[in-house]
Amino acid sequence: MAQLTDIRGAGLGLKRELLPQLMQQHGQPPLAQLQFLEIAPENWIQAGGKYAAELDWLIAHYPIACHGLCLSLGGPDPLNVGFLQQVKQFLSDFEIPLYTEHLSYCSDTANGYIYDLLPIPFTEEAVKYVAQRIRQTQDILQRRIAVENASFYVAAPLSEMDEISFINAVLAEADCDLHLDINNVYVNSVNFGFDPYAFLDQIPAQRIVYGHMAGHLQVEANLLVDTHGEAIIDPVWQLLTYAYAKLGVFPTLLERDSHIPPLPVLMQEVDRIAILQQQAQTIHTPSLDKVA
Amino acid sequence: MHAFQAYQAAFTAHLRQPSLHAKPAGVDAKRMRVYREIVFNNFEASVSACFPVLRDILGPRRFSKLVRQCFFSQQFNSPLFKDIPGHFVTFLRAQIVADLPAYTAQLAHYEWIELLLGQQVDSATPDSVVEHFTQGQALLHRVVQLCGVYQLLHYDYAVHLLSKKTEYGGDDTHVFTGVSYARV
């Protein structure tokens, strides 16, 4: 059975179109640094036929983390308890040690799901509301979850605090973990003109379960869109290097959702994550090296 | 309702139907456009993938208009992405739109069922030799096993023959859809 400690090193967010290559190249040198995978439960729950067989293969060959998309922690409608029960069963059936979600919402009361991640206004009321729903989620799942800092493009005029204050207030109020998306920190820092390094300085390191890296699209000088469709740019790599130095090394995976190159090309970015992790560990554990 | 929830309601109402609902007061118009495009394009992509024939017949603009109508009028109660096309079928079945071909909802249903069954195909079925029989009596000498996943459906139109070229396939058809092969 996969344990939380099996989610380590460098990983990759799994898109279904990558599966044939993954199955074929598994165990070969270009994939040597690939230590875990991430799937969205919304894409695999109730998977029948060949999808079920693919899932069995994945579980047998890699530690898997679940990263949800549609729980709508900040949504106005009641939490979908039936869906959460399905998630619970799914995590249990496939012995998946980790479930994370987004600090956002993807539903409304008028029509239900809208299937995209929208920004929660940063208010005191929203902190309490979201934290309560995270606690409810943790109670139902009978496990801790982590929430991810989301990328966004529109600042709500009614916000009462900045993003990092909102995140920290929610984490403390809900007592949950953090899924740290480095690219989202960078995207938001450009879109809203803040210092991403100062943002990272305020992250509670002990709550981080794992991290995300991804590429984005530059639409204008001060507008980045979080497409996961491009190569990771240098400033985001520098931010990850800083995060490892400041917060300690955490498991990190590459997200790539569109314009997906062949797997060996993707692996170059996964490899670079692994190298940064090794370098950070070398710098930060001199005493351990001496003992060894 | 909390103040932040009133803002959220205005935000999503605008995304679903910008022609009727103005953006929330005080938000940047250019930035809001990013959301309008991303959110609807993603939704439309999830729908379109399932209905290539209907989209081809109606053309991208008419199809997109329907998807937009669905987006602001339908109830979406499933968080699973695979259920999005099913919501579109439900929407079409409730439509009485004069300028749509009469077979629209049935063709959409047929395209959706094909995808649905494809996702359910029983992988436990061992690989087998597939033969096509042209004469019914051949079945007397064979053991025939049907796929475990199928539906027997009746449509008022020959939906399996419809395409942009043969827009109208004829009346009344029974379709046995699924993997309808005979196994020896």
Side-chain angles (χ1 to χ4, degrees):
Chain A
M1 178 176 175
Q3 310 285 326
L4 196 53
T5 49
D6 293 327
I7 305 295
R8 59 171 179 258
L12 180 65
L14 183 77
K15 296 293 286 182
R16 191 165 267 141
E17 46 269 55
L18 285 170
L19 253 169
Q21 293 180 74
L22 183 66
M23 287 173 159
Q24 196 191 4
Q25 295 168 37
H26 169 73
Q28 294 176 14
L31 270 59
Q33 297 296 338
L34 183 58
Q35 290 189 268
F36 70 105
L37 297 172
E38 174 195 276
I39 59 174
E42 287 82 355
N43 286 328
W44 294 89
I45 280 175
Q46 294 179 3
K50 73 177 173 115
Y51 298 144
E54 288 168 351
L55 190 54
D56 285 340
W57 186 92
L58 287 170
I59 299 293
H61 291 85
Y62 289 97
I64 304 282
C66 263
H67 184 48
L69 293 165
C70 286
L71 189 56
S72 203
L73 283 168
D77 39 353
L79 266 186
N80 189 337
V81 174
F83 170 62
L84 265 178
Q85 296 289 0
Q86 284 183 305
V87 170
K88 186 179 181 183
Q89 190 65 47
F90 183 79
L91 298 173
S92 163
D93 287 348
F94 295 98
E95 299 180 345
I96 293 171
L98 187 57
Y99 174 61
T100 73
E101 248 291 350
H102 293 84
L103 205 44
S104 67
Y105 71 107
C106 62
S107 59
D108 57 34
T109 46
N111 298 86
Y113 290 98
I114 196 163
Y115 303 107
D116 245 305
L117 304 169
L118 304 175
I120 305 168
F122 303 143
T123 70
E124 294 287 351
E125 281 177 341
V127 168
K128 290 193 172 60
Y129 179 83
V130 175
Q132 188 277 327
R133 285 161 71 95
I134 295 171
R135 284 198 301 270
Q136 188 188 352
T137 301
Q138 296 186 134
D139 287 346
I140 291 168
L141 296 179
Q142 294 175 298
R143 63 164 84 197
R144 286 174 75 84
I145 68 162
V147 291
E148 185 188 45
N149 55 305
S151 56
F152 60 104
Y153 315 112
V154 169
L158 68 165
S159 285
E160 298 160 353
M161 61 188 93
D162 60 11
E163 185 190 0
I164 186 64
S165 304
F166 181 76
I167 292 170
N168 280 332
V170 169
L171 295 178
E173 179 95 11
D175 190 20
C176 67
D177 291 324
L178 174 66
H179 183 165
L180 179 60
D181 190 312
I182 300 292
N183 180 57
N184 289 354
V185 174
Y186 182 78
V187 164
N188 289 355
S189 77
V190 172
N191 289 349
F192 301 103
F194 64 77
D195 176 1
Y197 291 88
F199 184 102
L200 287 181
D201 287 343
Q202 296 173 73
I203 290 285
Q206 74 283 1
R207 291 192 188 269
I208 300 173
V209 288
Y210 72 107
H212 270 169
M213 286 288 280
H216 56 256
L217 186 69
Q218 176 144 24
V219 178
E220 290 174 15
N222 66 346
L223 178 56
L224 307 182
V225 176
D226 185 26
T227 53
H228 301 171
E230 320 287 324
I232 299 167
I233 63 168
D234 280 340
V236 178
W237 285 116
Q238 286 155 16
L239 209 51
L240 181 66
T241 307
Y242 181 80
Y244 286 159
K246 179 81 186 178
L247 305 166
V249 173
F250 44 84
T252 307
L253 71 73
L254 171 70
E255 294 182 291
R256 186 70 182 245
D257 295 337
S258 56
H259 305 125
I260 303 176
L263 188 56
V265 178
L266 274 186
M267 280 306 300
Q268 292 169 11
E269 291 189 324
V270 176
D271 289 349
R272 190 162 171 188
I273 291 171
I275 288 167
L276 290 179
Q277 290 174 330
Q278 285 151 17
Q279 286 172 348
Q281 257 149 0
T282 312
I283 294 164
H284 280 266
T285 53
S287 54
L288 286 178
D289 287 343
K290 281 174 198 163
V291 172
Chain B
M1 186 190 280
H2 297 300
F4 80 91
Q5 291 178 316
Y7 171 84
Q8 286 178 309
F11 199 92
T12 57
H14 176 67
L15 293 182
R16 289 193 192 267
Q17 196 176 10
S19 60
L20 189 66
H21 301 287
K23 67 177 176 63
V27 306
D28 185 290
K30 202 162 63 182
R31 297 292 185 92
M32 202 64 201
R33 193 177 144 197
V34 174
Y35 276 111
R36 273 206 308 276
E37 289 179 0
I38 290 175
V39 172
F40 184 70
N41 289 349
N42 283 344
F43 179 76
E44 187 173 20
S46 296
V47 175
S48 302
C50 182
F51 306 100
V53 180
L54 181 62
R55 187 169 185 269
D56 199 34
I57 290 176
L58 295 181
R61 286 188 62 169
R62 274 170 95 195
F63 188 82
S64 185
K65 210 174 142 190
L66 275 178
V67 174
R68 170 64 76 182
Q69 259 180 287
C70 174
F71 195 45
F72 66 69
S73 65
Q74 194 61 29
Q75 283 296 316
F76 301 94
N77 54 18
S78 170
L80 308 184
F81 292 93
K82 74 180 178 64
D83 292 339
I84 293 176
H87 288 304
F88 186 61
V89 172
T90 308
F91 160 77
L92 286 178
R93 287 177 134 183
Q95 295 305 300
I96 306 165
V97 181
D99 67 342
L100 283 178
Y103 55 73
T104 300
Q106 296 201 6
L107 172 58
H109 183 270
Y110 178 63
E111 289 198 272
W112 169 65
I113 281 288
E114 278 189 310
L115 189 82
L116 200 69
L117 295 185
Q119 288 167 350
Q120 293 173 357
V121 169
D122 182 9
S123 60
T125 305
D127 289 339
S128 57
V129 179
V130 178
E131 285 184 33
H132 292 283
F133 299 110
T134 51
Q135 292 182 330
Q137 64 189 34
L139 295 175
L140 294 172
H141 310 289
R142 308 283 182 162
V143 176
V144 176
Q145 187 175 339
L146 297 171
C147 174
V149 178
Y150 61 86
Q151 284 201 20
L152 183 59
L153 297 163
H154 171 252
Y155 293 100
D156 297 327
Y157 306 89
V159 287
H160 62 303
L161 299 175
L162 284 166
S163 71
K164 198 177 179 181
K165 281 183 184 165
T166 60
E167 245 195 64
Y168 185 65
D171 291 324
D172 193 49
T173 188
H174 288 86
V175 181
F176 185 81
T177 183
V179 186
S180 49
Y181 58 76
R183 203 175 89 175
V184 279

